Each structure stands twice: as structure tokens, then as C-alpha cells.
Amino acid sequence: MQQADLVDFTDFLYSLVHMTLSLRKKHCLGKSKTTTEDGLPTVSVYRSASDIPPSWDALLPAKKRLLQSDYLRALEAAPPAGMKFAYLLFHDKENVVIGLAYCQIQRFSAEKSIRYDEKGQTPGLLESVGRYLQRLVASKFEFNTLVCGNLLFTGEHGFYFKANTLKEEEQIRVVNCALENLQEQLQKDSLPVSVVLYKEFYDQSRTSFAGLKQDSYKEFTIQPNMILDIRDHWESFEDYMGDLLSKYRVRTKRARKKFQAIERKELSAEDIAEHLPHLYGLYQSVVGNSGFNVINLSEQYLLSLKKHLPQEFSVHAYLDEGKIVAFYTILMTGQEMEAHFLGFERSYNRSHQIYLNILYDLVQHGIQRGAERVIFARTALEIKSSVGAIAHEMYCYMRHRNAISNNLLQPLLDYLRPDTDWHPRHPFK
């Protein structure tokens, strides 16, 4: 039996075992020009990463690392609080897999996600009224959300289709139909979902989402994705520094000098397990000071990633006299390096410029590992631009099932959006 035949046969066995979770006989909206008159895409739904068939990974190119099953199992083994999952496989009329979509189901509460900066001061009358109104609006903004994409990463991690099967706008129509079917299934499973969210897409994909906007979806942005392109001639961190303007080179040397007494250590799985409560506390110290946070990361998440992805995921700690005072994490996804969660003691950030040194170390790792790009993701936009990262606007699409609530989404999203007033820096010659 050839490998392709073996994959198809294994998929057939999976479909028999998980027939109760299948929606594959429900046709999706519209007819693709690439299908025959009697052949429309169909979809199978799985609720666990351990249940998805081998054809899921067989379909994906290496660059779609965050859709591959080992990462999905790692996340499912240690999910954020309240998060559930769904995995969709699309088939043509010959029952050949042509695409997939990944969904997270998350309870979203604006009131719990927004952290108000009180600054230890007694607010004036206007500020008090403003805080009251924002809390009042946020308290009404709560619902279960079906997310096509990944809330833990910035980027296009929602769906993928085999080349030359469906045009991009057709892919979105098919996925959207499947999500509507999934909403109905979740309702029957006592998990009502009020909102569908497509997260997140670069500017070049916006024209393909025009159909969603016509279908009452609201387009919005949060913060841009900060990305550093590694230049071809950078073979070391010194090469990177050589391309910096003089004042940024002086700044880099000054930050590095403050860090001379700090020990760097890459943590093994055993180290992570030993220090996990402390690492989680450092992470919480950073998250607790962010203005907006949708998820509450599981304490076991970092260890789960290390166990499932031992070569691609790494945790790097900073120690002062043997005590871990900060850490950052890296996930290699093909030719891209993702800067993932981090944590640090805030007093050390002031005295040792830990956050800036983390950014420099991420640049150095990217060069050493031969990455084409370092994905710094959102937040701290200005300081990330100061090390060379460029802002890439990301677009999301959201719709509430209730027409009245849906009409209120856009002003609410605009009102609750974190402040992104910042000045891009240009550190290179």
C-alpha cells in the first residue's frame, strides 16, 4: 500500500470512529468553480487534537507550524482557563482532504480583560466619570466566542487550503459556512456561541474578506504585529549592531553593559518543571500590568510545549546570584522565530533594562538560528521598533448572532481598544 493510500485508509477509520462528531454531509455555501456539478466541499468536525486524522498534518506545509497537530496537542494538554477547541477538515467529492480550519472557543469578558491603571492617585471628576462609563460598557460586553485562529499567537493561524483547489474568497465562504454549522452543533452540546471571530490577517488578505463584511461582519484592528526581517549579511549580533545608527549602537552597548552580571541559561524540561510556579509568577507580574488581556495562561503551558516540541520550543532564563529574575520563550516555526510569553521582576527591568536586553537576545537568536524573520507580536510597539521591528497592521472580523448587538460591536470595539499612540523608531543606517 502506498503512503497516500495509507493516509486515506487511516482517515476512513477515523471517520468511522468519530461519526457522531461529523458534519461532513452538510454542504457549504456556494459552489466552487473547481468542483463538479454534484461535488461540493464537505466538512468533518473533531473536538480533540488526538482525534484528528493523519491527513491533517499531511496537508500542511512546514511554514504552517502552528497548525500542526503536535503543537495543537501541546496547547490542548494545558489550555488557558475555559478554552475549548474544534478542528475542521474539508473534503472534495472524492473525499480527499483539501483544507482545514482551527477554532478556539473562549468566554470573552471585556470587564475581566481590561486592567485599569489607577496609578495610586485620586482621580478627578472627569477621569472618574470616564472610568465609570468604560466599566459600565465593558460589563455588558461578555459572550462565548468561536475564534478561527489562535489567541496565543499573532498572525494567520486560522485555516489553510491546498493550492489550486479554492480561491481565497471561496475558502473564506466555505469556512464561514462550516463555522455556522459548528455554532449549531455547539448549541446542541449546551455550549452556545454568540460571536464568531476571524483572527488575524495581513493587509493583502483584506480584499478576500469583502464577502464577510457584506455578511454583517465588522472589521477591526487591535495592535500591529511587530516583525524584524533578518538581513542576509547578518551572521552575528555584531553585524546587526554594525547596521545601527550611532545613537542606537550606543544605546545597545549601554543596555548590554548593565547586563554583565546577569547569567543566561536555557532551561531543560526538568528545569522548567522545577521552577514552574516561579516562572508563572514572573509571567503574571507582566500580564498584571498590561492594559488588556483576553486569556489566562495555564501554569503548565510552558512545560507542555517543551515536552511536545523539545527542539523548536525553548525557555531562556536570566539569573542573578542563582535566582531567576526573568525569562523569555521562543518557538521556531519553519523560517520564522516567534517570540512567545515572557516574565520578569519589574525592579530588575528598571535597573538592568531586562526587557530591552530580551529584545536584543531575540534578535541574536534569530540570527544564530538562521531565521528569516523574528515575530515580536503586539504590545510595547515603540521599544520593539527601536530594535528594528516594523509594524504590520492585522485585521480581524467579528459578528454577533444578534443583529442589534452586532450593530453595537464596532463602536464598542473602538471604545475598548487599547491606546496605541506611539512613535515608530528607525534605528538602521
Side-chain angles (χ1 to χ4, degrees):
M1 182 178 290
Q2 295 181 354
Q3 184 175 0
D5 295 333
L6 182 60
V7 169
D8 290 341
F9 179 71
T10 308
D11 289 349
F12 171 71
L13 294 179
Y14 272 85
S15 68
L16 289 179
V17 174
H18 304 287
M19 191 69 71
T20 57
L21 298 180
S22 177
L23 298 176
R24 63 191 303 167
K25 296 304 180 185
K26 300 193 74 171
H27 286 162
C28 289
L29 292 176
K31 178 174 290 189
S32 166
K33 293 180 181 179
T34 61
T35 60
T36 62
E37 288 297 313
D38 60 348
L40 293 172
T42 57
V43 57
S44 298
V45 177
Y46 302 87
R47 294 297 304 279
S48 173
S50 61
D51 292 338
I52 56 179
S55 57
W56 178 285
D57 286 326
L59 180 72
L60 291 166
K63 65 180 180 180
K64 290 294 182 180
R65 193 67 186 87
L66 291 171
L67 282 171
Q68 293 173 7
S69 62
D70 50 359
Y71 166 73
L72 300 179
R73 288 194 298 270
L75 175 56
E76 194 172 294
M83 181 176 285
K84 298 177 175 60
F85 307 91
Y87 311 86
L88 286 66
L89 272 175
F90 297 94
H91 311 259
D92 64 12
K93 68 169 186 173
E94 304 296 334
N95 204 32
V96 175
V97 172
I98 60 170
L100 57 82
Y102 171 61
C103 298
Q104 298 173 342
I105 302 128
Q106 183 71 29
R107 185 73 177 174
F108 174 72
S109 170
E111 188 173 28
K112 295 177 181 178
S113 297
I114 295 176
R115 291 176 171 85
Y116 304 92
D117 186 7
E118 306 293 351
K119 299 180 181 178
Q121 304 176 22
T122 302
L125 176 60
L126 290 178
E127 188 176 356
S128 296
V129 171
R131 290 179 184 175
Y132 170 76
L133 289 175
Q134 191 175 34
R135 285 189 172 96
L136 181 63
V137 171
S139 68
K140 309 299 181 185
F141 205 42
E142 183 171 358
F143 38 71
N144 285 331
T145 306
L146 178 61
V147 182
C148 184
N150 193 329
L151 291 172
L152 283 74
F153 283 91
T154 302
E156 298 180 348
H157 308 300
F159 59 86
Y160 174 80
F161 281 79
K162 186 178 179 180
N164 303 317
T165 54
L166 298 175
K167 295 179 180 178
E168 190 168 350
E169 58 270 21
E170 293 174 322
Q171 296 174 17
I172 295 166
R173 290 172 61 210
V174 168
V175 171
N176 197 45
C177 176
L179 296 189
E180 291 180 0
N181 289 339
L182 181 57
Q183 278 185 285
E184 296 175 10
Q185 183 69 34
L186 293 173
Q187 181 76 34
K188 294 176 183 177
D189 294 342
S190 301
L191 185 58
V193 172
S194 301
V195 169
V196 174
L197 169 65
Y198 289 87
K199 175 187 180 293
E200 300 144 317
F201 297 88
Y202 291 105
D203 185 68
Q204 58 265 33
S205 298
R206 291 179 72 188
T207 55
S208 300
F209 281 88
L212 284 186
K213 290 191 284 186
Q214 294 172 6
D215 200 21
S216 301
Y217 276 84
K218 310 301 179 184
E219 182 186 75
F220 67 98
T221 61
I222 305 174
Q223 287 184 332
N225 192 5
M226 302 301 292
I227 300 174
L228 173 68
D229 291 311
I230 302 295
R231 298 182 178 182
D232 292 339
H233 65 276
W234 291 351
E235 297 183 1
S236 66
F237 189 73
E238 288 68 29
D239 294 332
Y240 161 80
M241 287 186 61
D243 279 357
L244 294 175
L245 291 167
S246 176
K247 68 174 183 178
Y248 288 98
R249 194 160 56 250
V250 170
R251 178 174 179 254
T252 304
K253 291 179 179 178
R254 184 168 60 244
R256 291 315 224 183
K257 186 175 182 180
K258 289 185 176 182
F259 226 55
Q260 287 178 345
I262 299 297
E263 177 190 354
R264 293 172 172 84
K265 180 181 180 181
E266 181 175 344
L267 302 184
S268 66
E270 292 75 18
D271 293 331
I272 297 170
E274 178 184 352
H275 298 288
L276 202 52
H278 182 60
L279 296 173
Y280 190 69
L282 293 174
Y283 155 75
Q284 290 285 3
S285 73
V286 173
V287 172
N289 285 273
S290 64
F292 191 84
N293 189 51
V294 175
I295 63 169
N296 183 16
L297 196 66
S298 166
E299 183 173 323
Q300 297 295 317
Y301 176 66
L302 300 182
L303 183 58
S304 183
L305 279 189
K306 188 61 179 176
K307 288 180 176 179
H308 284 82
L309 307 171
Q311 302 303 319
E312 294 148 302
F313 179 72
S314 56
V315 179
H316 302 263
Y318 295 131
L319 295 85
D320 185 14
E321 298 182 352
K323 176 189 175 184
I324 297 177
V325 296
F327 77 94
Y328 62 94
T329 60
I330 291 171
L331 182 63
M332 295 299 300
T333 58
Q335 295 303 114
E336 295 182 341
M337 192 186 85
E338 298 270 355
H340 207 24
F341 290 101
L342 55 79
F344 52 79
E345 290 189 13
R346 305 197 73 81
S347 60
Y348 275 83
N349 193 40
R350 289 190 292 271
S351 61
H352 292 74
Q353 290 188 275
I354 277 185
Y355 189 74
L356 182 57
N357 274 290
I358 287 176
L359 297 181
Y360 288 139
D361 280 346
L362 287 168
V363 173
Q364 185 166 350
H365 278 300
I367 296 171
Q368 291 173 341
R369 299 191 181 198
E372 294 178 356
R373 303 199 301 174
V374 177
I375 312 297
F376 286 108
R378 295 189 299 264
T379 73
L381 308 179
E382 191 160 331
I383 192 172
K384 288 175 180 176
S385 75
S386 75
V387 301
I390 303 297
H392 296 257
E393 204 68 67
M394 306 295 294
Y395 295 87
C396 302
Y397 300 87
M398 178 182 280
R399 185 180 70 181
H400 198 292
R401 297 188 76 171
N402 180 279
I404 296 175
S405 298
N406 195 56
N407 288 332
L408 294 174
L409 276 181
Q410 193 71 59
L412 283 171
L413 290 167
D414 292 341
Y415 186 64
L416 296 172
R417 182 187 304 164
D419 181 17
T420 55
D421 184 21
W422 65 290
H423 302 286
R425 303 301 181 184
H426 306 283
F428 296 121
K429 296 175 183 177

